[in-house]
Amino acid sequence: MNIRLLYLTREPFPTFRVDVATLFGRYLPRFGVYSDIVAVREGDGGECAWEAGRAFTRLARGRGGRIRARLMLALDLFRLVRADHAAVQVRDRIFGALLGLWAARLRGKPFYYWMSFPFPDYWLERGSPDPSGLAGPGRRLLFRLRGRLSSWLLYRLVLPAADHVFVQSDAMRTMLERHGLPAARMTPVPMGATIPERIEDIPPVDDPRLAGRRVVVYLGALERARRSEVMIEAMAAVRKEFPQAFLVFVGDAEDPGERLWFDALVRELGLQDHVLFTGWLPAEQARRYLRTAEIGLSPCARTPSLEVASPTKVIEYMAWGVPVVANDLPDQAYLIGETGGGLCVPLTPEGFAAGILQLLRDPAAARRMGEAGRRAIPGLRSYEVIARSLAEKYRQLAGGVAQ
């Protein structure tokens, strides 16, 4: 039985988010689950293909245009719902989810909510006092107001009325149980990765700055909220024993002020010859840095919003045979424990330095960890495995199986 969803997403179209572009765009159609995506379209306005179904978009330019487009797309759901849609699903949109819920009820369709991140909790955290001074009192007040309103809408109105909720992790399901949502109406769908079949066929990055260096890599966004500075501070200790150690950040900070703060920290610690920020790169180019790396890092603070996350980078490191040094965020600790693909360390400069040094001192043991992770991760987190399980869940829901 084929299933078709009407799917409103938070991300612009086309999206870099692998759990939209890869899971819904490529893998779920192989198991008979299609989706008509509804999303803001940015850039030059050119249409993009969506092979999993139809794409309903509105072009947005600038902040004001993006807000108007997001509102209009949520209202579009009322006219886009068709007889062949098994359900209306909304991803991480909160006011949009309320409109999606009404549209589904008016058309007699089930409503599903896909929660990849607890945005209300994150906004409330951003509204807390900021010792760094990067966020002023006015901005923090706006975050608090946004967090409180969105928390009320999501946890009091949308989620209790949803027919099913897809969450990012077991920890997120436990969190929502504390808000009164029954566990039986939630399905964890953790992040996954596309597993390269032959990594040896993919050339290492051609970057002369890496020549003769012991490369440690981090893929993703830099954020003080995640404690990204721990990696830089750890390098101050690592370089004393391994002067050739080189930390490469393949990514950037979303906030320009935070990026300036990280640059200043590198200068303060005298690490200009040991730290490289590449900025955002296309996925194919970014992953070529993994072919050069000896170690992959994944620090993530255990705040209420991040505690329930399922970081992709740990899975990607393992998929590419790179041993991991990560802290004890629940999903990270689970993956390291199941695969033996890395080390779980305290989220401190001393903890990350000790993990990095342990692997640099014993390259043979590091290689064994990388190989163990690469062997084990496909059965746990390949999108082939995740899509098969998720497609079966959609069929259960469509068939009226008890939720």
Side-chain angles (χ1 to χ4, degrees), residues 116-118 125 168-172 175 190-191 218 223 225-227 297-315 318 324-338 343-348 352 381:
S116 74
F117 189 74
E125 289 168 15
Q168 189 76 91
S169 64
D170 290 321
M172 186 180 285
M175 180 199 80
M191 294 297 289
Y218 173 84
E223 290 183 276
R226 293 176 181 264
R227 298 288 311 279
L297 304 183
S298 185
C300 192
R302 297 188 63 173
T303 65
S305 64
L306 295 172
E307 176 81 0
V308 298
S310 173
T312 311
K313 55 183 65 63
V314 169
I315 306 162
M318 291 183 180
V324 180
V325 175
N327 67 296
D328 62 345
L329 194 77
D331 196 58
Q332 296 188 153
Y334 164 77
L335 288 171
I336 291 172
E338 287 292 306
L343 300 173
C344 203
V345 300
L347 185 60
T348 62
F352 267 75
R381 293 293 174 84

Side-chain angles (χ1 to χ4, degrees), residues 107-159:
R107 295 301 183 95
K109 300 290 183 181
F111 173 79
Y112 307 150
Y113 189 78
W114 188 284
M115 187 169 175
S116 74
F117 189 74
F119 281 98
D121 304 76
Y122 173 71
W123 290 325
L124 288 170
E125 289 168 15
R126 292 292 302 271
S128 301
D130 180 12
S132 71
L134 292 175
R139 190 178 183 194
R140 295 200 305 272
L141 175 61
L142 289 176
F143 274 124
R144 287 197 299 274
L145 293 174
R146 187 180 189 184
R148 288 171 184 167
L149 176 60
S150 61
S151 180
W152 182 79
L153 286 172
L154 185 64
Y155 298 134
R156 297 291 185 89
L157 297 181
V158 172
L159 296 186

